[in-house]
Amino acid sequence: MRIDIITVLPELLKSPFEASIMKRAIEKGIVEVYFHNLRDYTTDKRRTIDDYQFGGGAGMVMMIEPIDKCISKLKLERDYDDIIYMTPDGETLNQKMANTVSLQKNIIILCGHYKGVDQRVRDHFITREVSIGDYVLSGGEIGAIVFCDAIIRLIPGVLSDETSALTDSFQDNLLSPPIYTRPANYNGWEVPDVLLSGHFANIEKWREEKAYEHTLNRRPDLLDES
């Protein structure tokens, strides 16, 4: 997968891709990530990427011309499966979306700022709008990091155990069941006997029951979607 991220703050984005699972994916050659500074596509000495709203109102708006130039240049070089805009009013990121996008080959992610982008960008360039929650951040970069982490970890070869992602919370619309590790008894707090039994059918049944119970208690809305 190739990910091209359009941003006004490339320095904010780089660090997370130089550590942990995303770094491993890049080093293995499974994922390529490129950062494009939107100010490099401006024409004035001040490298302006925003302007006042038509009709008045508080807050600046990202201009269409630099975004057009950047996206158009990238599209001349390859085809893209999605051009994604990180915005609070987009579709809320969930596991189903992450699964879908993780199968794609090339994507562009545009990080919004200020009051957002000129509506014509959304009308003519963007194919998918994504939000990481019902709140507003200073810019789309942090959302882009979250989005990238969610999709990259699903790509085959990224995780050491590829089956691990299949048992994560939200796969099959269930939260994960409780998990335990050594020691089996700590200060009198014991691991459930079934997990120590070696009876894999019973263990799997216990996990399914606990996952359902956990979801029912914490996120019953997920069961409504099943």
Side-chain angles (χ1 to χ4, degrees):
M1 171 182 275
R2 176 184 171 117
I3 303 173
D4 289 281
I5 305 178
I6 301 173
T7 172
V8 295
L9 294 172
E11 62 278 7
L12 177 62
L13 280 162
K14 291 179 180 179
S15 178
F17 293 92
E18 295 171 350
S20 71
I21 288 172
M22 292 196 286
K23 177 185 179 182
R24 186 191 310 163
I26 293 170
E27 289 179 342
K28 285 184 175 181
I30 298 171
V31 176
E32 297 177 87
V33 181
Y34 298 91
F35 308 104
H36 306 274
N37 191 334
L38 195 58
R39 296 190 188 279
D40 293 339
Y41 295 86
T42 57
T43 56
D44 65 313
K45 290 183 178 180
R46 298 181 61 186
R47 306 175 79 197
T48 305
I49 51 90
D50 62 300
D51 208 334
Y52 296 104
Q53 300 182 53
F54 280 128
M60 305 293 279
V61 179
M62 295 178 71
M63 301 162 65
I64 187 172
E65 186 175 7
I67 297 172
D68 178 13
K69 287 182 176 179
C70 185
I71 292 177
S72 296
K73 178 180 181 296
L74 291 171
K75 289 176 69 176
L76 285 175
E77 297 169 356
R78 67 194 56 82
D79 293 326
Y80 286 91
D81 301 291
D82 257 330
I83 301 176
I84 297 162
Y85 174 47
M86 303 303 302
T87 174
D89 62 345
E91 180 184 358
T92 303
L93 174 63
N94 59 24
Q95 195 62 46
K96 182 179 179 181
M97 184 196 299
N99 291 343
T100 299
V101 178
S102 73
L103 300 175
Q104 296 180 343
K105 184 177 180 181
N106 299 314
I107 63 173
I108 293 173
I109 300 176
L110 171 63
C111 301
H113 269 272
Y114 315 115
K115 294 295 286 186
V117 300
D118 187 302
Q119 182 61 38
R120 290 168 291 185
V121 173
R122 304 173 78 162
D123 292 342
H124 299 286
F125 295 107
I126 303 303
T127 61
R128 185 189 294 267
E129 300 185 346
V130 178
S131 167
I132 62 167
D134 295 337
Y135 46 86
V136 177
L137 300 173
S138 298
E141 284 77 13
I142 294 174
I145 293 166
V146 171
F147 183 70
C148 288
D149 188 279
I151 62 176
I152 288 173
R153 64 188 307 277
L154 296 171
I155 301 173
V158 174
L159 296 180
S160 300
D161 180 356
E162 293 183 11
T163 63
S164 176
L166 300 178
T167 57
D168 286 339
S169 288
F170 305 110
Q171 297 287 8
D172 299 323
N173 278 3
L174 290 174
L175 301 181
S176 295
I179 54 175
Y180 301 85
T181 189
R182 294 179 178 82
N185 186 318
Y186 182 74
N187 288 344
W189 304 327
E190 297 184 352
V191 172
D193 290 339
V194 64
L195 298 180
L196 308 175
S197 68
H199 195 300
F200 294 110
N202 287 349
I203 292 171
E204 188 60 26
K205 181 182 178 183
W206 180 88
R207 285 175 172 161
E208 289 176 359
E209 290 173 350
K210 289 299 180 180
Y212 180 85
E213 180 183 309
H214 190 45
T215 306
L216 182 63
N217 290 334
R218 295 198 175 194
R219 289 293 304 275
D221 57 297
L222 293 175
L223 298 175
D224 296 335
E225 297 173 9
S226 300

